[in-house]
Amino acid sequence: MAKSSQATWGGRFSAGPAELMLQFSESVSFDRRLAPFDIAGSKAHSAMLAHVGLITKQERDAIHAGLDAILAEIAAGKFTWETKFEDVHMNIEQALTKRVPAAAKLHTARSRNDQVATDMRLFFKHACGVLQEKIRGAERALLAAAEANADVLIPGYTHLQRAQPVLLAHHLFAWLEMLERDRQRLAEVAAHANWCPLGSGAIAGTTLPIDREFTAKALGFVDAKGRPQVTQNSMDTVADRDVFIEFAAAGALFGVHASRIAEDLILWSSAEFKFIELPDAFCTGSSLMPQKKNPDSCELLRGKSARLQGNLHTLLTLAKGLPLTYNRDLQEDKPPVFDTFDQTAMCADVLAGTLGGMEVVRARCGAAVADPALLATDLADYLVMQGVAFRDAHHAVGAVVKLAETNGVALNALATADVQQVHAGFGDDWAQVFDLKRALTKRTGTGMPGPAQVKRQFARWRKILK
Ligand code: ARG
């Protein structure tokens, strides 16, 4: 059934949209969360219109008062959102027009195309800030776990096989590096968002004498020196969705990191490893097996990463192949962005909670890292220090490992005479290599897991996360 003509664009129509079309095309059900940004944009825009004399100061003040009242109503949950007004922009403009006659001038020199681009850039600047803080929360939980277990050693793994001993803190700091890159990436996305679209109009700007720099300044689209930053091509401005994609990519990559951390935690909390005990508050039980304590928060972190990647994929596919400039397809850009924001925020909080409540089972870590085979590489290095070429040393130690296996003894329990038979380079002090503390202390280079380096990293992270 046809509806009465739309108040905002209905002039050239003799019939309104079908009910089905309204349902199909509305976005207010999800873009209403842009209201605070939309209102900020409208206030800045009307301030600019008054500044250049396109509306009076009285009209500007009436528009501002009306927008403030609407924002308060929205915040209190008292605002009535109407599907028939399509989106957040027209809902607010319609409500304002009912209260303030001057609202009929608000859309002067503006289109919903530059309006929605502005709302979203404001949203991204806000969202990146929120997510950076939440990721910082997870980072702080990691640093606290490292502080509480600063002396704990574990095996490091490659191919999920025991490789070489490391301080647990070194492993946790590897996760910190990943999360810190995510935080930096979000800061870069926010910087890319920091250009004001207003004034680009629908596609070709306006014939009216507006002041884009004024609006940009009013909305905080400024550089470090406070100079306004406005987008440089009106067509690109209303077509561009790069920041959407970058934001989703930052979320997806954070998801990959969270998922990898979660996988380590799942392994470590299993009976086979038992390096850690996960907090009850972030685990669940089985409805059938009474003994089960499942690492659900970690499994969901792994699962959410798929969803975050999906959002990125949706946006890439949405933008691909669209002719310049704005096309209504682009309305579909918001649900994946909002979902990435919501899910990334929750993932960061859950990661912080899970890491914050994690208990390290020192005895199990100690038993695992006591495996002397973890120092086989150190034994090869020992031969290198005796002047043996590394390839020969590697081969000799391989033979020693095989001998230990054949004899059914630990690597460091072999008789010195037997070892010396394998290679004459082994001195009587060969077994000193298996002193774990000594082995770690020798790793002195930047980025290595030796105690002096790890101490430096503690200082670095305390400073970054203070
Ligand atoms: N709700 C629309 C969106 O999100 C706003 C822009 C509409 N522009 C238009 N020319 N119909 O994309």
Side-chain angles (χ1 to χ4, degrees):
M1 198 190 60
K3 283 263 162 175
S4 62
S5 303
Q6 285 284 322
T8 46
W9 49 253
R12 59 100 62 225
F13 285 75
S14 45
E19 189 64 45
L20 179 60
M21 179 55 187
L22 281 177
Q23 272 177 36
F24 189 58
S25 63
E26 70 85 23
S27 57
V28 67
S29 56
F30 53 83
D31 67 13
R32 65 173 70 165
R33 65 192 285 173
L34 291 174
F37 308 110
D38 197 72
I39 287 172
S42 288
K43 285 179 79 171
H45 182 68
S46 50
M48 182 276 291
L49 292 177
H51 174 70
V52 300
L54 282 167
I55 63 173
T56 66
K57 300 210 161 29
Q58 290 73 22
E59 286 169 330
R60 174 199 64 196
D61 293 345
I63 287 171
H64 281 201
L67 287 169
D68 287 340
I70 288 171
L71 184 61
E73 267 176 42
I74 292 170
K78 292 193 181 122
F79 187 82
T80 317
W81 296 101
E82 303 232 38
T83 308
K84 68 170 188 243
F85 297 139
E86 290 183 23
D87 55 25
V88 60
H89 323 294
M90 296 216 287
N91 265 270
I92 291 173
E93 195 188 317
Q94 290 291 323
L96 187 66
T97 308
K98 268 198 220 143
R99 302 160 201 227
V100 182
K105 296 189 177 176
L106 173 60
H107 214 53
T108 306
R110 187 175 75 172
S111 155
R112 273 187 295 161
N113 295 353
D114 58 351
Q115 187 178 359
V116 72
T118 304
D119 289 10
M120 287 304 286
R121 282 175 180 269
L122 290 171
F123 168 82
F124 285 125
K125 287 173 68 176
H126 162 79
C128 288
V130 170
L131 293 183
Q132 283 180 75
E133 268 317 295
K134 288 191 178 284
I135 293 174
R136 194 206 293 272
E139 293 185 79
R140 287 197 173 125
L142 264 177
L143 179 57
E147 307 252 24
N149 301 284
D151 55 332
V152 174
L153 293 166
I154 55 165
Y157 294 78
T158 65
H159 312 268
L160 203 51
Q161 310 293 316
R162 283 181 186 167
Q164 295 187 299
V166 293
L167 277 160
L168 172 68
H170 192 61
H171 193 125
L172 302 183
F173 287 166
W175 294 346
L176 265 178
E177 296 283 349
M178 292 147 69
L179 295 180
E180 184 62 15
R181 286 197 296 276
D182 290 326
R183 223 154 58 89
Q184 296 303 325
R185 201 168 285 116
L186 284 162
E188 281 159 29
V189 175
H192 289 178
N194 195 24
W195 293 83
C196 189
L198 278 177
S200 300
I203 167 169
T206 176
T207 59
L208 298 167
I210 63 167
D211 183 341
R212 291 195 64 199
E213 284 70 21
F214 180 99
T215 321
K217 254 188 162 163
L219 285 171
F221 289 108
V222 292
D223 68 10
K225 291 191 174 136
R227 288 175 302 210
Q229 302 200 126
V230 300
T231 56
Q232 298 291 304
N233 181 297
S234 63
M235 292 180 74
D236 175 54
T237 299
V238 295
D240 173 26
R241 291 298 181 269
D242 289 5
V243 177
F244 293 60
I245 290 167
E246 288 173 357
F247 180 77
L253 195 41
F254 163 80
V256 169
H257 292 157
S259 174
R260 293 184 76 166
I261 293 170
E263 175 57 19
D264 274 348
L265 294 175
I266 291 167
L267 283 170
W268 286 1
S269 67
S270 69
E272 283 69 17
F273 281 77
K274 240 333 154 228
F275 290 176
I276 57 164
E277 184 69 34
L278 288 172
D280 282 5
F282 287 91
C283 293
T284 66
S286 157
S287 56
L288 181 80
M289 300 166 284
Q291 87 285 9
K292 288 300 288 292
K293 176 174 159 186
N294 296 327
D296 290 32
S297 66
C298 297
E299 293 170 278
L300 280 165
L301 284 169
R302 257 186 345 204
K304 298 278 189 191
S305 73
R307 178 167 171 178
L308 290 167
Q309 287 177 43
N311 289 337
L312 171 61
H313 206 96
T314 298
L315 289 164
L316 286 166
T317 309
L318 183 68
K320 172 199 162 302
L322 280 186
L324 287 187
T325 54
Y326 179 85
N327 299 270
R328 190 65 180 271
D329 317 39
L330 291 176
Q331 182 167 287
E332 288 294 315
D333 59 10
K334 283 165 227 49
V337 162
F338 294 151
D339 190 61
T340 285
F341 176 59
D342 295 340
Q343 295 302 322
T344 302
M346 200 149 52
C347 284
D349 284 348
V350 167
L351 189 58
T354 305
L355 292 167
M358 164 182 93
E359 294 282 350
V360 173
V361 185
R362 288 164 169 264
R364 292 292 301 239
C365 296
V369 82
D371 179 355
L374 289 166
L375 293 169
T377 312
D378 294 48
L379 196 56
D381 289 348
Y382 168 96
L383 284 180
V384 168
M385 291 307 284
Q386 313 300 313
V388 180
F390 181 75
R391 275 290 151 239
D392 299 334
H394 185 285
H395 196 82
V397 173
V400 172
V401 169
K402 195 166 170 214
L403 185 65
E405 253 175 44
T406 316
N407 295 0
V409 296
L411 190 56
N412 58 346
L414 284 166
T416 299
D418 292 346
V419 173
Q420 286 172 337
Q421 276 223 307
V422 174
H423 199 291
F426 287 116
D428 291 341
D429 61 348
W430 76 283
Q432 274 184 21
V433 163
F434 296 100
D435 180 339
L436 251 184
K437 252 209 167 99
R438 187 169 164 275
L440 263 297
T441 309
K442 287 185 160 218
R443 289 164 157 80
T444 55
T446 303
M448 297 183 193
Q453 283 301 331
V454 172
K455 205 170 146 199
R456 275 185 57 191
Q457 294 298 328
F458 264 112
R460 174 175 160 247
W461 286 116
R462 275 186 209 118
K463 205 167 144 198
I464 292 173
L465 299 172
K466 70 179 179 299

